[in-house]
Amino acid sequence: MFEGVYSILFQTDEAVAIGDVKAPERYEVKIFTGLNSDAGTTANVFFNLIGDRCESGVISLGDPYKTMLPRGSELTCALHTNNCFGNLVYLRIWHDNTGKHPSWFLTSVVVKELVASVGNDSEEWIFDVHDWLAVEY
């Protein structure tokens, strides 16, 4: 498991970078918000990737990036780590219920291994949610 809580370090035109960009393991994480009315969220969003080798620890899409999850959006994160997750077993994703409209309709999260281990093809995992992360639903 990684030490500490990771959060977004900086934003580029291509993707949000998380972690040490010099780390050998790289994953692309795409978070899709639904098209439903009021599907976007004002809350802080967090996720944790759990693989059969290790887990990411809590990754925060914190305050400066709240507007990155509006209705119909696709947020792409480049996650850089020193450890390979192995086969992803599950994903935990949640928010802290803050802001004027914390309810969030999460469509899906897609995680793609960008650097495959020697002799293996790059892996991709799709986590279909299609549901509200909200107190009132």
Side-chain angles (χ1 to χ4, degrees), residues 28-65:
E28 177 183 78
V29 180
K30 289 187 177 186
I31 301 170
F32 296 90
T33 298
L35 293 170
N36 309 43
S37 178
D38 295 325
T41 184
T42 57
N44 296 304
V45 174
F46 307 87
F47 67 92
N48 185 7
L49 297 170
I50 295 90
D52 58 9
R53 292 189 190 166
C54 71
E55 66 180 83
S56 66
V58 176
I59 296 171
S60 170
L61 304 177
D63 195 339
Y65 301 98

Short mmCIF file of all heavy atoms in Angstrom, two decimals, residues 28-65:
data_model
loop_
_atom_site.label_atom_id
_atom_site.label_comp_id
_atom_site.label_asym_id
_atom_site.label_seq_id
_atom_site.Cartn_x
_atom_site.Cartn_y
_atom_site.Cartn_z
N GLU A 28 -4.09 5.26 -16.52
CA GLU A 28 -5.02 6.31 -16.91
C GLU A 28 -6.35 5.98 -16.24
O GLU A 28 -6.86 4.87 -16.39
CB GLU A 28 -5.17 6.32 -18.43
CG GLU A 28 -6.18 7.34 -18.93
CD GLU A 28 -6.34 7.25 -20.42
OE1 GLU A 28 -7.03 6.32 -20.88
OE2 GLU A 28 -5.76 8.10 -21.12
N VAL A 29 -6.90 6.95 -15.51
CA VAL A 29 -8.17 6.77 -14.83
C VAL A 29 -9.15 7.77 -15.42
O VAL A 29 -8.90 8.98 -15.38
CB VAL A 29 -8.04 6.99 -13.31
CG1 VAL A 29 -9.38 6.80 -12.62
CG2 VAL A 29 -6.98 6.07 -12.71
N LYS A 30 -10.23 7.28 -16.01
CA LYS A 30 -11.25 8.15 -16.59
C LYS A 30 -12.52 8.02 -15.76
O LYS A 30 -13.01 6.91 -15.54
CB LYS A 30 -11.54 7.78 -18.04
CG LYS A 30 -10.41 8.12 -18.98
CD LYS A 30 -10.81 7.90 -20.41
CE LYS A 30 -9.68 8.32 -21.33
NZ LYS A 30 -10.09 8.25 -22.74
N ILE A 31 -13.04 9.17 -15.32
CA ILE A 31 -14.23 9.21 -14.49
C ILE A 31 -15.33 9.92 -15.30
O ILE A 31 -15.15 11.07 -15.70
CB ILE A 31 -13.96 9.94 -13.16
CG1 ILE A 31 -12.83 9.22 -12.40
CG2 ILE A 31 -15.22 10.04 -12.33
CD1 ILE A 31 -12.31 9.98 -11.20
N PHE A 32 -16.44 9.21 -15.54
CA PHE A 32 -17.52 9.72 -16.36
C PHE A 32 -18.73 10.10 -15.51
O PHE A 32 -19.27 9.26 -14.79
CB PHE A 32 -17.95 8.67 -17.39
CG PHE A 32 -16.87 8.31 -18.37
CD1 PHE A 32 -15.98 7.28 -18.09
CD2 PHE A 32 -16.75 9.00 -19.56
CE1 PHE A 32 -14.98 6.94 -19.00
CE2 PHE A 32 -15.75 8.67 -20.47
CZ PHE A 32 -14.86 7.64 -20.19
N THR A 33 -19.14 11.36 -15.61
CA THR A 33 -20.34 11.85 -14.93
C THR A 33 -21.51 11.77 -15.90
O THR A 33 -21.36 12.06 -17.09
CB THR A 33 -20.13 13.31 -14.46
OG1 THR A 33 -19.06 13.32 -13.51
CG2 THR A 33 -21.37 13.88 -13.82
N GLY A 34 -22.68 11.40 -15.39
CA GLY A 34 -23.86 11.20 -16.23
C GLY A 34 -24.41 12.46 -16.85
O GLY A 34 -24.02 13.59 -16.50
N LEU A 35 -25.37 12.26 -17.76
CA LEU A 35 -26.03 13.36 -18.45
C LEU A 35 -27.34 13.76 -17.79
O LEU A 35 -28.00 14.69 -18.23
CB LEU A 35 -26.31 12.96 -19.91
CG LEU A 35 -25.06 12.79 -20.78
CD1 LEU A 35 -25.43 12.17 -22.11
CD2 LEU A 35 -24.37 14.12 -20.97
N ASN A 36 -27.71 13.06 -16.72
CA ASN A 36 -28.95 13.37 -16.01
C ASN A 36 -28.95 14.83 -15.54
O ASN A 36 -27.90 15.42 -15.33
CB ASN A 36 -29.09 12.49 -14.76
CG ASN A 36 -28.90 11.03 -15.05
OD1 ASN A 36 -28.01 10.66 -15.80
ND2 ASN A 36 -29.73 10.20 -14.48
N SER A 37 -30.13 15.36 -15.35
CA SER A 37 -30.25 16.71 -14.81
C SER A 37 -29.56 16.77 -13.44
O SER A 37 -29.75 15.88 -12.62
CB SER A 37 -31.73 17.06 -14.66
OG SER A 37 -31.87 18.34 -14.11
N ASP A 38 -28.76 17.78 -13.22
CA ASP A 38 -28.02 17.96 -11.96
C ASP A 38 -27.08 16.80 -11.63
O ASP A 38 -26.84 16.50 -10.46
CB ASP A 38 -28.97 18.19 -10.78
CG ASP A 38 -29.75 19.48 -10.92
OD1 ASP A 38 -29.17 20.45 -11.45
OD2 ASP A 38 -30.91 19.52 -10.50
N ALA A 39 -26.52 16.13 -12.63
CA ALA A 39 -25.65 14.96 -12.40
C ALA A 39 -24.29 15.35 -11.84
O ALA A 39 -23.65 14.55 -11.16
CB ALA A 39 -25.46 14.18 -13.70
N GLY A 40 -23.81 16.57 -12.10
CA GLY A 40 -22.51 17.00 -11.61
C GLY A 40 -22.50 17.22 -10.11
O GLY A 40 -23.55 17.34 -9.48
N THR A 41 -21.31 17.27 -9.53
CA THR A 41 -21.20 17.42 -8.08
C THR A 41 -20.32 18.60 -7.68
O THR A 41 -19.39 18.97 -8.41
CB THR A 41 -20.65 16.14 -7.42
OG1 THR A 41 -20.65 16.30 -5.99
CG2 THR A 41 -19.23 15.82 -7.87
N THR A 42 -20.63 19.19 -6.53
CA THR A 42 -19.79 20.23 -5.93
C THR A 42 -18.95 19.65 -4.80
O THR A 42 -18.18 20.37 -4.18
CB THR A 42 -20.67 21.36 -5.35
OG1 THR A 42 -21.57 20.79 -4.40
CG2 THR A 42 -21.43 22.07 -6.45
N ALA A 43 -19.12 18.37 -4.52
CA ALA A 43 -18.41 17.71 -3.41
C ALA A 43 -16.98 17.35 -3.80
O ALA A 43 -16.64 17.28 -4.98
CB ALA A 43 -19.16 16.46 -2.99
N ASN A 44 -16.16 17.11 -2.80
CA ASN A 44 -14.82 16.57 -3.01
C ASN A 44 -14.95 15.07 -3.24
O ASN A 44 -15.62 14.38 -2.47
CB ASN A 44 -13.94 16.83 -1.78
CG ASN A 44 -13.74 18.30 -1.54
OD1 ASN A 44 -13.29 19.04 -2.40
ND2 ASN A 44 -14.10 18.75 -0.36
N VAL A 45 -14.32 14.58 -4.28
CA VAL A 45 -14.43 13.17 -4.65
C VAL A 45 -13.11 12.47 -4.31
O VAL A 45 -12.02 13.03 -4.49
CB VAL A 45 -14.77 13.02 -6.14
CG1 VAL A 45 -14.73 11.56 -6.58
CG2 VAL A 45 -16.14 13.63 -6.43
N PHE A 46 -13.23 11.23 -3.84
CA PHE A 46 -12.07 10.42 -3.46
C PHE A 46 -12.22 9.03 -4.08
O PHE A 46 -13.34 8.56 -4.28
CB PHE A 46 -12.02 10.24 -1.93
CG PHE A 46 -12.08 11.52 -1.17
CD1 PHE A 46 -13.30 12.10 -0.83
CD2 PHE A 46 -10.91 12.18 -0.80
CE1 PHE A 46 -13.36 13.29 -0.12
CE2 PHE A 46 -10.97 13.38 -0.10
CZ PHE A 46 -12.19 13.92 0.23
N PHE A 47 -11.08 8.39 -4.37
CA PHE A 47 -11.16 7.00 -4.80
C PHE A 47 -9.94 6.23 -4.33
O PHE A 47 -8.93 6.79 -3.95
CB PHE A 47 -11.38 6.88 -6.31
CG PHE A 47 -10.24 7.33 -7.19
CD1 PHE A 47 -9.26 6.43 -7.61
CD2 PHE A 47 -10.16 8.64 -7.62
CE1 PHE A 47 -8.23 6.84 -8.43
CE2 PHE A 47 -9.13 9.06 -8.44
CZ PHE A 47 -8.16 8.16 -8.85
N ASN A 48 -10.10 4.92 -4.35
CA ASN A 48 -9.05 3.99 -3.93
C ASN A 48 -9.12 2.80 -4.89
O ASN A 48 -10.17 2.19 -5.04
CB ASN A 48 -9.31 3.55 -2.48
CG ASN A 48 -8.21 2.67 -1.92
OD1 ASN A 48 -7.18 2.47 -2.52
ND2 ASN A 48 -8.45 2.13 -0.75
N LEU A 49 -8.01 2.51 -5.56
CA LEU A 49 -7.93 1.35 -6.44
C LEU A 49 -7.31 0.19 -5.67
O LEU A 49 -6.26 0.35 -5.06
CB LEU A 49 -7.07 1.67 -7.67
CG LEU A 49 -7.60 2.77 -8.58
CD1 LEU A 49 -6.54 3.17 -9.60
CD2 LEU A 49 -8.86 2.31 -9.27
N ILE A 50 -7.96 -0.96 -5.72
CA ILE A 50 -7.48 -2.12 -4.98
C ILE A 50 -7.17 -3.24 -5.97
O ILE A 50 -8.06 -3.72 -6.70
CB ILE A 50 -8.52 -2.60 -3.94
CG1 ILE A 50 -8.73 -1.53 -2.86
CG2 ILE A 50 -8.06 -3.89 -3.28
CD1 ILE A 50 -9.80 -0.56 -3.14
N GLY A 51 -5.90 -3.64 -5.99
CA GLY A 51 -5.48 -4.73 -6.87
C GLY A 51 -5.07 -5.94 -6.06
O GLY A 51 -5.05 -5.91 -4.83
N ASP A 52 -4.71 -7.03 -6.75
CA ASP A 52 -4.30 -8.23 -6.03
C ASP A 52 -2.86 -8.15 -5.53
O ASP A 52 -2.42 -9.01 -4.78
CB ASP A 52 -4.54 -9.50 -6.86
CG ASP A 52 -3.81 -9.51 -8.21
OD1 ASP A 52 -2.97 -8.63 -8.45
OD2 ASP A 52 -4.11 -10.41 -9.01
N ARG A 53 -2.13 -7.09 -5.91
CA ARG A 53 -0.76 -6.89 -5.41
C ARG A 53 -0.67 -5.78 -4.37
O ARG A 53 0.14 -5.84 -3.46
CB ARG A 53 0.19 -6.58 -6.55
CG ARG A 53 0.42 -7.72 -7.49
CD ARG A 53 1.53 -7.37 -8.44
NE ARG A 53 1.62 -8.37 -9.49
CZ ARG A 53 2.29 -8.20 -10.59
NH1 ARG A 53 2.94 -7.05 -10.81
NH2 ARG A 53 2.33 -9.14 -11.49
N CYS A 54 -1.44 -4.72 -4.55
CA CYS A 54 -1.43 -3.58 -3.62
C CYS A 54 -2.63 -2.70 -3.91
O CYS A 54 -3.40 -2.98 -4.80
CB CYS A 54 -0.12 -2.79 -3.72
SG CYS A 54 0.05 -1.83 -5.23
N GLU A 55 -2.75 -1.64 -3.14
CA GLU A 55 -3.81 -0.66 -3.39
C GLU A 55 -3.21 0.74 -3.43
O GLU A 55 -2.10 0.97 -2.97
CB GLU A 55 -4.92 -0.77 -2.37
CG GLU A 55 -4.54 -0.42 -0.96
CD GLU A 55 -5.73 -0.55 -0.02
OE1 GLU A 55 -5.99 -1.68 0.42
OE2 GLU A 55 -6.36 0.48 0.26
N SER A 56 -3.97 1.66 -3.99
CA SER A 56 -3.47 3.02 -4.20
C SER A 56 -3.46 3.85 -2.93
O SER A 56 -2.72 4.82 -2.84
CB SER A 56 -4.31 3.74 -5.24
OG SER A 56 -5.63 3.94 -4.78
N GLY A 57 -4.29 3.51 -1.96
CA GLY A 57 -4.54 4.44 -0.87
C GLY A 57 -5.53 5.46 -1.37
O GLY A 57 -5.96 5.44 -2.53
N VAL A 58 -5.94 6.38 -0.51
CA VAL A 58 -6.96 7.36 -0.88
C VAL A 58 -6.37 8.40 -1.82
O VAL A 58 -5.33 9.00 -1.54
CB VAL A 58 -7.53 8.05 0.38
CG1 VAL A 58 -8.52 9.14 -0.01
CG2 VAL A 58 -8.18 7.02 1.29
N ILE A 59 -7.03 8.59 -2.94
CA ILE A 59 -6.66 9.63 -3.92
C ILE A 59 -7.79 10.65 -3.91
O ILE A 59 -8.96 10.30 -4.06
CB ILE A 59 -6.46 9.02 -5.32
CG1 ILE A 59 -5.28 8.05 -5.28
CG2 ILE A 59 -6.25 10.12 -6.34
CD1 ILE A 59 -5.12 7.23 -6.52
N SER A 60 -7.44 11.90 -3.72
CA SER A 60 -8.41 12.97 -3.57
C SER A 60 -8.47 13.84 -4.81
O SER A 60 -7.45 14.29 -5.31
CB SER A 60 -8.02 13.84 -2.36
OG SER A 60 -8.80 15.01 -2.33
N LEU A 61 -9.67 14.04 -5.32
CA LEU A 61 -9.90 15.05 -6.35
C LEU A 61 -10.49 16.23 -5.59
O LEU A 61 -11.69 16.40 -5.51
CB LEU A 61 -10.86 14.53 -7.42
CG LEU A 61 -10.45 13.24 -8.10
CD1 LEU A 61 -11.52 12.79 -9.07
CD2 LEU A 61 -9.12 13.42 -8.81
N GLY A 62 -9.61 16.99 -4.95
CA GLY A 62 -10.01 17.97 -3.95
C GLY A 62 -10.54 19.27 -4.48
O GLY A 62 -10.74 19.47 -5.66
N ASP A 63 -10.74 20.19 -3.55
CA ASP A 63 -11.40 21.47 -3.72
C ASP A 63 -11.09 22.22 -5.00
O ASP A 63 -12.00 22.64 -5.69
CB ASP A 63 -11.09 22.34 -2.50
CG ASP A 63 -12.00 23.54 -2.39
OD1 ASP A 63 -12.59 23.94 -3.40
OD2 ASP A 63 -12.09 24.08 -1.29
N PRO A 64 -9.82 22.43 -5.40
CA PRO A 64 -9.57 23.22 -6.60
C PRO A 64 -10.14 22.59 -7.86
O PRO A 64 -10.27 23.23 -8.88
CB PRO A 64 -8.05 23.29 -6.69
CG PRO A 64 -7.54 22.88 -5.37
CD PRO A 64 -8.59 22.03 -4.74
N TYR A 65 -10.51 21.33 -7.81
CA TYR A 65 -10.92 20.62 -9.00
C TYR A 65 -12.40 20.24 -9.00
O TYR A 65 -12.84 19.47 -9.82
CB TYR A 65 -10.05 19.36 -9.17
CG TYR A 65 -8.60 19.75 -9.28
CD1 TYR A 65 -7.78 19.69 -8.17
CD2 TYR A 65 -8.11 20.24 -10.47
CE1 TYR A 65 -6.46 20.10 -8.27
CE2 TYR A 65 -6.80 20.66 -10.57
CZ TYR A 65 -5.98 20.58 -9.46
OH TYR A 65 -4.69 21.00 -9.56
#
